DNA sequence: ATGAAAGCGCTAACAT
DNA sequence: ATGTTAGCGCTTTCAT
């Protein structure tokens, strides 16, 4: 077994330097492709050859320690199982990969304490940016505690961003949830439905409140009563329960996310109702699960992958030598009509 | 704004030491709770107080550099959207959290090149352990290249483990996929079914091959012909396609994962067949999606969370001062019977 | 019981 | 064009 510099079993830059018979500095310069510094072509070649033959790869830890940049970005997600978040992460990763950033996904289980721990861990590892996917939850006290953990990251020049959901004080990359929910509701109204229910998310979550507001606005605007507002907790089971209690009383349902819509769908079917013949069902999100349901769900598609990508781009800009200040931005959404919604049929045609 | 040690905007151990009027060494000892070293109670209190009032938290990077342990463990998953992997990750995280380890989830999209990049990134950040969730894919060449990236991690005393799937040369925490598939098949046979189809995963994936082998063994043992073997690629759409082509020709289907079962279910329903009245459907995995389907799916539940937890425990043991060598272990699985399977009805009763 | 000093692996002034 | 040196923030011998 080869041995390297004193204490390590893996090649270090000093090994490369030695093998190439240059100083560590020169090796570092070549390896980092520093263009502002002149290095003789022959020297450069020797260093590169040495690095390759030793299979050298620099320690990101040591580098981070001196450069003050870890090239780590953390993404906090409320529920790792929910494809909603997975696609945001995907967008972040795609951009991060190109920029040689390491993405750390932290699952908070929508628990403020866990979220705090995650932020603390990212802070300890000197993450350059923290992206909060999926908006605020927890009370004010939790918000303050979180802020305290986050503060050192910002103090070091780190970035914090809100993705697809509000975070007080942070720039947001998002869609207009209220407008979007209103538009989805209007679509159902345009189909002729009048008795429309809304299955919402947890009221502590900002997106849940925004979507509800949009629904209410659209109903009011059409002069329709909003008599069926339920809390489905953003979960399948919550949607199931809501759907069960709604069965037979409404003509259409807007669910504030796909998971709840799936739950409602299961409930309706169990109750012997046909979708969309008896009840139209539309949801918010646009995850693959919505497309895979039977019938496939009409949903408002949030450009989650794009949100992730745009956010990561913004992070890179803000971390660049000439920092670009990050401004909140609203991205466009689209309604995809599938099989779960249909025009209202006259009573006798059903 | 307060200022701290020369170059940082965040308190460092030297700031704590200064505030407590002790040396850095003493501060470090107190902060790390080194029990082998005697520190006067009064001193300890001063250090602790200083750390608290400064809101000090040590740099994991600097610590890792000197201790040669990053307290980072990477988990490689084939598909971040698949709840199958998410639950493994959950198990890992639960244990890692207690031990103050940072878990980095890397999404490989089942692409060997991405997988290699992920291992390289983890190596560069000096991950102490790399857990491969979900088994091997890619050809031999890819395996060799991966091995090359992984080697330095092992050389540093790092751990690599295979979770719920084979990886040549690595200890595995798993169930016996072959035995499990056989048992699930036997259950269907016991229900009286004879024309049983198998929707399998990609043959490059070790678990897919193992599950198929189990199916074939059970069929052979019962003297039944295994005439309907399809590749569903472990995806919903693959299951959908397979289900479509199977509709009307078999009495029962075993799907090698839940996603494909969901696809098959959609296909059967579209074809006008009832599950389980016309076709019994059982799957492998036991993700929440299986429970949430209508009808709820009978599945073989792989203890994924437990696999993750056991693996992380093993990692901790292997990394402890008195290292415990990691041996492969097989965990117990269970078959959960739900609504998607039923006894065969005589022809005229259908 | 406490501290001084070396050094982890790397980059970045600052020489030459 | 290349090398010397001084850290980054921490732990850890080794002194005292």
């Amino acid at each position: 077994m080869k041995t390297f510099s004193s204490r390590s079993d893996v090649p270090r830059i000093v090994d490369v330097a030695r093998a190439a018979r240059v100083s560590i500095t020169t090796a570092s310069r070549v390896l980092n492709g520093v263009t502002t510094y002149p290095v003789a072509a022959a020297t450069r070649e020797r260093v590169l050859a040495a690095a390759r033959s030793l299979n050298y790869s620099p320690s990101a830890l040591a580098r981070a320690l001196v450069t003050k940049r870890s090239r780590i970005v953390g993404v906090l997600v409320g529920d790792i199982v929910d494809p909603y978040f997975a696609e945001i992460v995907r967008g972040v990763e795609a951009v991060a990969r190109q920029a040689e950033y390491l993405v750390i996904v932290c699952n908070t289980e929508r628990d403020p304490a866990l979220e705090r721990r995650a932020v603390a861990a990212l802070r300890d590892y000197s993450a350059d940016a923290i992206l909060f996917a999926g908006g605020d939850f927890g009370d004010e006290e939790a918000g303050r505690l979180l802020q305290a953990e986050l503060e050192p990251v910002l103090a070091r020049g780190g970035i914090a961003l809100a993705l697809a959901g509000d975070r007080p004080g942070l720039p947001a990359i998002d869609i207009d949830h209220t407008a979007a929910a209103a538009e989805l509701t209007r679509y159902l109204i345009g189909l002729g439905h009048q008795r429309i229910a809304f299955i919402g998310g947890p009221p502590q979550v900002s997106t849940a409140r925004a979507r509800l507001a949009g629904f209410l606005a659209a109903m009011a605007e059409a002069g329709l009563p909003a008599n069926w507002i339920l809390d489905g907790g953003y979960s399948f089971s919550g949607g199931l329960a809501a759907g069960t209690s709604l069965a037979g009383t409404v003509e259409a349902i807007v669910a504030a996310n796909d998971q709840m819509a799936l739950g409602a769908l299961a409930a309706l079917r169990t109750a012997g109702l046909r979708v969309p013949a008896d009840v139209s069902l539309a949801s918010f999100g646009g995850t693959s699960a919505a497309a895979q349901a039977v019938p496939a769900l009409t949903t408002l598609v949030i450009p989650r992958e794009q949100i992730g990508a745009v956010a990561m781009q913004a992070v890179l800009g803000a971390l660049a030598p000439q920092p670009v200040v990050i401004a909140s931005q609203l991205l466009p959404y689209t309604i995809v009509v599938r099989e779960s919604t249909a025009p209202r049929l006259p009573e006798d045609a059903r």
Side-chain angles (χ1 to χ4, degrees), chain A:
Chain A
M1 174 198 237
K2 332 176 219 195
T3 38
F4 298 112
S5 55
S6 46
R7 304 176 175 268
S8 176
D9 267 353
V10 148
R12 296 309 174 193
I13 196 169
V14 47
D15 301 303
V16 175
R18 245 175 239 157
R21 283 165 303 120
V22 296
S23 73
I24 293 186
T25 310
T26 302
S28 171
R29 287 206 272 253
V30 172
L31 264 14
N32 287 324
V34 178
T35 46
T36 57
Y37 252 84
V39 177
T43 316
R44 141 166 284 111
E45 272 321 308
R46 254 185 307 142
V47 171
L48 259 20
R52 219 171 313 136
S53 87
L54 290 175
N55 194 16
Y56 170 75
S57 186
S59 160
L61 262 30
R63 176 180 285 173
L65 194 57
V66 37
T67 61
K68 304 276 192 188
R69 286 294 173 220
S70 63
R71 306 188 81 81
I72 289 177
V73 39
V75 185
L76 271 63
V77 303
D79 180 0
I80 201 178
V81 178
D82 191 336
Y84 184 90
F85 296 109
E87 288 188 23
I88 294 179
V89 171
R90 222 178 235 165
V92 173
E93 274 181 339
V95 176
R97 189 151 41 225
Q98 312 244 49
E100 308 245 286
Y101 263 70
L102 182 67
V103 176
I104 298 185
V105 180
C106 299
N107 185 16
T108 68
E109 313 264 359
R110 287 211 181 87
D111 171 350
L114 279 185
E115 183 171 59
R116 225 146 48 218
R117 287 197 63 141
V119 171
L122 290 169
R123 186 229 310 116
D124 292 348
Y125 281 88
S126 309
D128 293 339
I130 300 188
L131 309 180
F132 294 88
D136 207 7
F137 48 80
D139 54 19
E140 292 209 2
E141 171 65 359
R144 250 193 312 281
L145 290 172
L146 183 67
Q147 190 59 38
E149 302 289 353
L150 187 56
E151 198 270 330
V153 175
L154 273 6
R156 285 182 47 253
I159 313 296
L161 244 48
L163 271 49
D166 262 5
R167 292 278 169 169
L170 300 186
I173 312 295
D174 210 342
I175 65 162
D176 183 336
H177 293 276
T178 307
E183 190 167 329
L184 186 60
T185 306
R186 270 186 226 113
Y187 165 73
L188 252 17
I189 294 173
L191 252 25
H193 301 297
Q194 305 203 335
R195 305 167 64 86
I196 308 178
F198 183 81
I199 305 181
Q204 312 93 286
V205 180
S206 60
T207 54
R209 290 192 303 271
R211 292 172 196 172
L212 172 57
F215 170 78
L216 292 175
M219 293 296 276
E221 161 193 306
L224 260 23
N227 290 338
W228 304 275
I229 313 282
L230 282 78
D231 180 355
Y234 270 166
S235 72
F236 179 92
S237 59
L240 189 75
T244 304
S245 80
L246 249 19
T249 77
V250 296
E251 305 158 2
I253 298 175
V254 178
N257 77 1
D258 291 334
Q259 305 255 348
M260 294 190 296
L262 259 21
L265 180 61
L268 293 172
R269 186 174 296 134
T270 301
L273 293 168
R274 292 158 306 164
V275 174
D278 301 317
V279 182
S280 276
L281 179 60
S283 71
F284 220 92
T287 60
S288 56
Q292 295 172 356
V294 180
L297 297 181
T298 292
T299 60
L300 188 139
V301 179
I302 301 172
R304 296 180 305 282
E305 199 158 338
Q306 191 195 352
I307 285 177
V310 166
M312 189 62 211
Q313 293 283 15
V315 166
L316 293 178
L319 257 20
Q322 307 294 325
V324 179
V325 177
I326 300 183
S328 292
Q329 51 183 305
L330 254 24
L331 268 26
Y333 51 84
T334 49
I335 293 180
V336 173
V337 176
R338 297 205 184 88
E339 310 158 1
S340 67
T341 50
R344 182 193 188 202
L345 289 181
E347 200 62 53
D348 54 357
R350 285 187 223 172

